[in-house]
């Protein structure tokens, strides 16, 4: 299982914005994953989507890694930000764009 | 005990909420992943409690997830969660 954790650590280190999700950004397989993809797309941030349905070890491992029992999970610059409810709340209050801008992964609008 | 009743009992005992809404949305997910006959698979929970004061969003949800670990490991496929303090609601 620690192999999986190493892979996750590497993945979130190599990619500034990573979304662990069910399905792919083009074909999400779950409503919660689809919501987060829509928000990230709307905000205009580049992200890497990782389909946990392709890998049962990863599907379990990501939950242990973050101590978070559900998917999707968003990571920005190696840090766990939250799942669907949190991303939606942060999007609605403007905190998500603020965070992405502060982390240097999103160019300020205009 | 139904899943909804068990969610209500656990959250009430641990968080002493000033407001607690538990909505079974399972019927809206008929035919989707995780759906089972009889419902109680998809819930929307709003909990307002002073216990969340000083905790960020991730910590609040972790707390609720831990309290409901048994339900999430069992029948519950999806839990949409809003966790607020009385001041925020």
């Amino acid at each position: 299982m620690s192999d999986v954790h190493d892979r996750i650590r590497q993945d979130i280190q190599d990619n500034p914005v990573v979304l662990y999700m069910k399905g792919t950004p083009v074909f999400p397989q779950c409503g919660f994953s689809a919501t987060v993809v829509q928000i990230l797309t709307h905000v205009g941030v580049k992200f890497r989507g990782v389909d946990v349905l392709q890998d049962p070890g990863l599907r379990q491992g990501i939950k242990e890694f973050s101590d978070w029992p559900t998917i999707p999970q968003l990571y920005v610059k190696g840090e766990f930000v939250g799942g669907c409810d949190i991303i939606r709340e942060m999007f609605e209050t403007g905190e998500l764009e603020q965070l992405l801008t502060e982390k240097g992964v999103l160019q300020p609008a205009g | 005990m139904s899943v909804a009743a068990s969610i209500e009992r656990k959250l009430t005992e641990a968080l002493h909420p000033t407001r607690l809404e538990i909505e079974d949305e399972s019927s809206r997910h008929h035919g989707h992943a995780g759906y089972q006959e009889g419902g109680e698979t998809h819930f929307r929970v709003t909990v307002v409690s002073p216990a969340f004061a000083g905790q960020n969003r991730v910590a609040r949800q972790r707390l609720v997830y831990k309290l409901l670990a048994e339900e999430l490991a069992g029948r519950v496929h999806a839990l949409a969660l809003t966790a607020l303090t009385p001041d925020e609601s």
Side-chain angles (χ1 to χ4, degrees):
Chain A
M1 201 44 93
S2 63
D3 288 355
V4 175
H5 288 192
D6 288 344
R7 261 173 53 207
I8 295 167
R9 216 168 276 125
Q10 193 66 51
D11 228 11
I12 62 177
Q13 192 185 315
D14 294 347
N15 301 279
V17 185
V18 185
L19 180 65
Y20 291 89
M21 60 180 293
K22 293 182 180 173
T24 64
V26 179
F27 292 108
Q29 300 289 319
C30 148
F32 295 105
S33 290
T35 298
V36 177
V37 167
Q38 271 182 357
I39 289 172
L40 295 178
T41 306
H42 180 86
V43 167
V45 68
K46 264 179 65 180
F47 67 98
R48 176 172 143 77
V50 180
D51 183 2
V52 302
L53 297 178
Q54 300 301 318
D55 184 341
L58 178 62
R59 185 175 179 175
Q60 188 54 36
I62 189 71
K63 296 177 181 181
E64 291 160 5
F65 180 82
S66 55
D67 187 25
W68 192 262
T70 59
I71 288 156
Q73 297 186 9
L74 182 69
Y75 290 78
V76 176
K77 290 272 180 168
E79 279 174 33
F80 175 61
V81 179
C84 179
D85 298 312
I86 287 178
I87 302 306
R88 190 169 40 205
E89 282 175 24
M90 290 181 70
F91 172 62
E92 285 166 0
T93 60
E95 285 164 86
L96 182 65
E97 283 172 270
Q98 193 185 335
L99 172 82
L100 295 172
T101 306
E102 278 170 11
K103 295 279 183 186
V105 293
L106 183 69
Q107 297 305 315
Chain B
M1 193 189 299
S2 73
V3 176
S6 146
I7 291 174
E8 182 176 3
R9 185 176 60 82
K10 288 181 180 172
L11 295 185
T12 302
E13 280 175 8
L15 301 174
H16 306 290
T18 55
R19 197 174 113 215
L20 177 59
E21 288 166 19
I22 300 167
E23 192 189 341
D24 184 348
E25 297 186 322
S26 308
S27 59
R28 287 198 227 158
H29 298 270
H30 205 282
H32 291 189
Y35 179 82
Q36 294 178 46
E37 285 304 324
E40 299 220 288
T41 53
H42 295 68
F43 286 94
R44 174 172 296 279
V45 171
T46 302
V47 54
V48 179
S49 164
F52 296 132
Q55 299 200 52
N56 67 22
R57 290 190 172 91
V58 169
R60 292 175 186 190
Q61 290 218 2
R62 269 199 187 116
L63 176 57
V64 173
Y65 283 148
K66 284 202 163 51
L67 293 169
L68 303 180
E70 211 178 305
E71 286 73 17
L72 285 165
R75 189 174 176 93
V76 176
H77 170 76
L79 178 67
L81 185 61
T82 306
L84 302 170
T85 63
D87 286 347
E88 294 164 347
S89 70

